[in-house]
């Protein structure tokens, strides 16, 4: 090999070395793509809301952590207002990117978690502590039209990034967690330690769909 290299003209060796260096650089540092640029823009636009910020040596957690906790504890339009607003901003930031980059934007850990958690929490809030009666309004719980529109925006963003099959799988996963009955009470009136049944144990998949927020016609929002 050494004799072969020595036999080559110096210009050939120089060009070969440059080509090898370029290949190594591209492997270690892949070219910056359009989707990378869109991801950087998303991270910048959601800094403080979805991504933590750095103030001197202190790391400030994103506001969505506090907002989600307040929504879960308050379980009302007022306590969930900021959380839903942030979810809309996340969906808008993903939708702002091109359809070809939607998958990469969703794969950002914070983005995927926010969309998945938001969809599940909104479905749970609408469902309540037991299966709602089938009907036009009961399946929405206390959610207003504006909040249902937010749910539809999250759904459309998820489908745009992952496709309809992935949405169906997510819907089924969330539906399996919905309660099928209230937490039973003991004869003394205290909360029983018996685990309440899930909706999937007392209702068919079609019935769960008809009673849940997942059945909303998002074309109307």
């Amino acid at each position: 090999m050494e004799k072969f290299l020595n036999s080559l003209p110096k210009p050939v060796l120089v060009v070969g070395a440059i080509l090898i260096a370029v290949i190594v650089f591209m492997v270690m540092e892949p070219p910056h793509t359009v989707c990378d640029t869109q991801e950087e823009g998303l991270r910048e636009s959601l800094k403080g809301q979805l991504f933590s910020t750095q103030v001197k040596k202190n790391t400030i957690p994103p506001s969505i952590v506090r907002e989600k906790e307040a929504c879960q504890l308050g379980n009302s339009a007022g306590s969930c207002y900021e959380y839903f607003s942030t979810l809309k901003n996340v969906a808008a930031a993903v939708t702002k990117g091109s359809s070809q980059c939607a998958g990469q934007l969703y794969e950002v850990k914070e983005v995927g978690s926010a969309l998945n958690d938001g969809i599940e929490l909104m479905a749970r809030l609408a469902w309540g502590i037991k299966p709602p009666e089938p009907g036009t309004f009961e399946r929405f719980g206390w959610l207003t039209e504006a909040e249902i529109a937010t749910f539809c925006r999250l759904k459309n963003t998820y489908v745009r990034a992952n496709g309809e099959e992935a949405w169906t799988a997510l819907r089924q996963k969330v539906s399996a967690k919905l309660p099928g009955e209230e937490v039973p009470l003991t004869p003394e009136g205290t909360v029983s330690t018996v685990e309440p049944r899930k909706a999937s144990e007392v209702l068919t998949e079609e019935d769960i769909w008809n009673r849940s927020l997942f059945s909303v016609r998002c074309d109307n929002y």
Side-chain angles (χ1 to χ4, degrees):
M1 176 62 71
E2 184 177 351
K3 289 183 179 180
F4 173 74
L5 292 175
N6 291 332
S7 67
L8 294 175
K10 286 187 177 180
V12 174
L13 289 174
V14 171
V15 172
I18 292 174
L19 288 175
I20 292 173
V22 169
I23 292 172
V24 171
F25 177 78
M26 292 181 66
V27 171
M28 296 180 66
E29 295 287 341
H32 198 79
T33 66
V34 173
C35 293
D36 292 334
T37 300
Q38 293 183 13
E39 180 181 328
E40 289 174 358
L42 177 145
R43 289 178 179 275
E44 185 62 30
S45 66
L46 296 174
K47 188 180 294 184
Q49 290 184 297
L50 187 61
F51 300 98
S52 59
T53 54
Q54 199 74 24
V55 178
K56 294 183 178 179
K57 294 184 179 181
N58 299 320
T59 300
I60 310 301
S63 63
I64 195 171
V65 176
R66 167 183 52 78
E67 294 163 357
K68 180 185 175 184
E69 183 177 359
C71 180
Q72 290 174 310
L73 293 174
N75 193 6
S76 66
S79 62
C80 293
Y81 177 79
E82 290 185 340
Y83 179 57
F84 291 167
S85 295
T86 296
L87 290 177
K88 284 194 294 184
N89 292 339
V90 174
V94 176
T95 305
K96 184 179 179 181
S98 62
S99 57
Q100 293 84 355
C101 297
Q104 177 172 327
L105 299 181
Y106 171 82
E107 287 299 324
V108 175
K109 181 181 67 174
E110 293 86 350
V111 173
S113 294
L115 291 176
N116 287 25
D117 291 350
I119 290 166
E120 178 172 341
L121 182 53
M122 294 193 80
R124 284 177 171 272
L125 293 174
W127 184 271
I129 60 175
K130 63 178 182 179
E133 292 299 321
T136 304
F137 300 107
E138 287 81 357
R139 59 184 168 154
F140 300 150
W142 54 258
L143 300 182
T144 65
E145 285 195 3
E147 287 143 357
I148 296 169
T150 297
F151 176 82
C152 286
R153 179 172 291 187
L154 298 181
K155 173 188 174 181
N156 292 337
T157 303
Y158 185 95
V159 171
R160 188 168 184 258
N162 302 289
E164 289 287 351
E165 289 188 7
W167 170 255
T168 299
L170 177 63
R171 172 178 62 80
Q172 292 173 337
K173 179 181 178 181
V174 174
S175 296
K177 301 178 184 179
L178 298 174
E181 59 186 0
E182 292 187 69
V183 178
L185 298 178
T186 65
E188 293 76 24
T190 59
V191 176
S192 172
T193 57
V194 177
E195 185 72 20
R197 292 178 296 174
K198 300 297 184 183
S200 57
E201 298 179 72
V202 296
L203 298 171
T204 65
E205 183 177 346
E206 181 180 1
D207 201 13
I208 294 174
W209 186 84
N210 287 329
R211 294 169 186 252
S212 74
L213 185 58
F214 290 111
S215 62
V216 63
R217 292 177 61 87
C218 284
D219 294 342
N220 298 330
Y221 293 91

